[in-house]
Amino acid sequence: MLNTEKPYVICHMLGSVDGRIKQNIWGFKDHHKYFEETAEKITADAWLVGRVTMQEFSSKNTYSIEADRTHIPKIDYVADQPVKSFAVVIDPSGKCFWDTNMVSTEHVIEVLTEKVPTGYLEHLRSKNVSYIFGGKEELDLDLVLKKLYHLFQIKTVRIDGGGHVNGSFLQAGLIDEFSLVLAPVADGAIGSPTVFEVAEGYENRKATQFKIKSVEQIYDDFLWIRYQVIKETDTNR
Ligand SMILES: NC(=O)c1ccc[n+]([C@@H]2O[C@H](COP(=O)([O-])OP(=O)(O)OC[C@H]3O[C@@H](n4cnc5c(N)ncnc54)[C@H](OP(=O)(O)O)[C@@H]3O)[C@@H](O)[C@H]2O)c1
């Protein structure tokens, strides 16, 4: 039985004034720095991204998965490794492949469902990549956070996108802070992911409200806005 502690969660994003997050047409020379230099100022034990975003960092090689040759139980695997900072990917079907168990200076943790084939676990073990199970068919993100805390001592996690992973954690009420680097650009691409992708239409839900912690003007025309998430659902402002 897991304890109830879980990491403090800060979502950090670079967004256009219309909330888009793909920088394909933004036209900034060194577009990575706006995200990365601010991210570095947020102290965290791990960063976490969705499968689509992580595929920018995982292997570009083709790996073939052996049909379930060996029996590997579908239980969490904490690889023996020396580092204490982590790169976590929400990858329910096991689509990211790895040549190494590191992204930059961080040890990789795969968050899986039990849908993944045993051969994929064999691949992860062969690269000494850690993995945890967040559910049988669907992920329980609250459980995922608790496992990150207890198995890896992750006390603060920075969620770095994309929009779908941010939206999942937002919908589950698991984001404590939102850190937005607001780029001075209007994107306008209909259908391109936004900072929070939660659901089509409005359904029966309420938007999440924020309270400003700080605002800073950076790189001349950018704003770095840090918000606290208001957790109570029936705030009257
Ligand atoms: N501007 C910025 O600050 C910033 C930051 C990060 C990324 N980006 C950009 O954002 C784009 C990608 O964003 P995205 O929203 O398309 O993708 P994403 O959030 O990176 O990844 C989405 C995928 O993650 C998995 N996933 C996420 N939440 C899940 C949940 N609750 N349960 C099960 N699976 C879950 C699913 O994988 P499966 O499909 O395998 O099921 C889903 O398709 C890229 O272009 C990237 O460059 C921008």
Side-chain angles (χ1 to χ4, degrees), residues 54-68:
M54 190 58 106
Q55 281 183 318
E56 293 167 23
F57 306 96
S58 61
S59 177
K60 306 294 176 281
N61 295 324
T62 313
Y63 284 90
S64 57
I65 290 300
E66 299 284 341
D68 298 351

Side-chain angles (χ1 to χ4, degrees), residues 99-149:
D99 301 325
T100 152
N101 64 356
M102 304 290 285
V103 177
S104 181
T105 54
E106 287 84 55
H107 173 74
V108 177
I109 304 172
E110 281 267 351
V111 177
L112 308 171
T113 62
E114 292 178 27
K115 288 187 296 197
V116 295
T118 304
Y120 182 68
L121 302 181
E122 223 175 316
H123 165 71
L124 296 181
R125 285 183 179 230
S126 75
K127 301 297 173 188
N128 210 30
V129 170
S130 295
Y131 54 82
I132 59 173
F133 289 93
K136 272 191 188 306
E137 300 269 327
E138 305 216 329
L139 292 176
D140 174 346
L141 296 176
D142 187 69
L143 174 70
V144 167
L145 288 180
K146 286 172 182 160
K147 285 190 174 189
L148 292 176
Y149 188 101

Side-chain angles (χ1 to χ4, degrees), residues 160-172:
D160 284 354
H164 286 91
V165 91
N166 295 347
S168 301
F169 278 89
L170 187 82
Q171 190 173 30

Side-chain angles (χ1 to χ4, degrees), residues 14 21-22 35 51-53 56 92 95 160 162-165 168:
L14 172 66
I21 58 172
K22 285 194 174 193
F35 179 89
R51 187 269 305 166
V52 175
T53 300
E56 293 167 23
K95 293 180 186 163
D160 284 354
H164 286 91
V165 91
S168 301

Side-chain angles (χ1 to χ4, degrees), residues 12-237:
H12 177 70
M13 289 300 281
L14 172 66
S16 64
V17 294
D18 51 344
R20 267 56 177 219
I21 58 172
K22 285 194 174 193
Q23 298 150 53
N24 308 22
I25 60 164
W26 292 8
F28 299 118
K29 272 202 205 86
D30 183 10
H31 64 265
H32 291 297
K33 78 171 183 187
Y34 305 109
F35 179 89
E36 279 162 17
E37 290 181 358
T38 44
E40 275 166 20
K41 294 183 181 159
I42 299 173
T43 308
D45 307 303
W47 52 266
L48 178 153
V49 292
R51 187 269 305 166
V52 175
T53 300
M54 190 58 106
Q55 281 183 318
E56 293 167 23
F57 306 96
S58 61
S59 177
K60 306 294 176 281
N61 295 324
T62 313
Y63 284 90
S64 57
I65 290 300
E66 299 284 341
D68 298 351
R69 273 188 320 176
T70 46
H71 176 71
I72 300 178
K74 293 198 172 159
I75 53 173
D76 304 329
Y77 176 70
V78 179
D80 192 17
Q81 49 76 38
V83 300
K84 293 284 165 263
S85 56
F86 304 91
V88 184
V89 55
I90 303 291
D91 185 15
S93 310
K95 293 180 186 163
C96 292
F97 290 90
W98 297 97
D99 301 325
T100 152
N101 64 356
M102 304 290 285
V103 177
S104 181
T105 54
E106 287 84 55
H107 173 74
V108 177
I109 304 172
E110 281 267 351
V111 177
L112 308 171
T113 62
E114 292 178 27
K115 288 187 296 197
V116 295
T118 304
Y120 182 68
L121 302 181
E122 223 175 316
H123 165 71
L124 296 181
R125 285 183 179 230
S126 75
K127 301 297 173 188
N128 210 30
V129 170
S130 295
Y131 54 82
I132 59 173
F133 289 93
K136 272 191 188 306
E137 300 269 327
E138 305 216 329
L139 292 176
D140 174 346
L141 296 176
D142 187 69
L143 174 70
V144 167
L145 288 180
K146 286 172 182 160
K147 285 190 174 189
L148 292 176
Y149 188 101
H150 289 284
L151 296 173
F152 301 93
Q153 290 76 53
I154 293 171
K155 304 269 166 53
T156 302
V157 63
R158 200 185 69 225
I159 297 185
D160 284 354
H164 286 91
V165 91
N166 295 347
S168 301
F169 278 89
L170 187 82
Q171 190 173 30
L174 295 170
I175 297 181
D176 298 297
E177 266 186 50
F178 177 46
S179 159
L180 174 66
V181 178
L182 188 61
V185 64
D187 179 305
I190 296 171
S192 181
T194 61
V195 170
F196 292 107
E197 295 282 314
V198 175
E200 301 266 344
Y202 291 103
E203 308 166 334
N204 243 347
R205 63 188 175 86
K206 281 209 167 126
T208 304
Q209 294 192 0
F210 302 133
K211 201 174 165 46
I212 288 182
K213 280 184 74 179
S214 62
V215 185
E216 202 181 324
Q217 189 170 347
I218 55 174
Y219 310 116
D220 295 333
D221 298 311
F222 288 65
L223 285 181
W224 185 13
I225 313 171
R226 297 195 63 174
Y227 295 99
Q228 195 76 43
V229 174
I230 300 177
K231 297 261 177 146
E232 303 81 55
T233 47
D234 56 349
T235 41
N236 279 318
R237 304 165 93 188

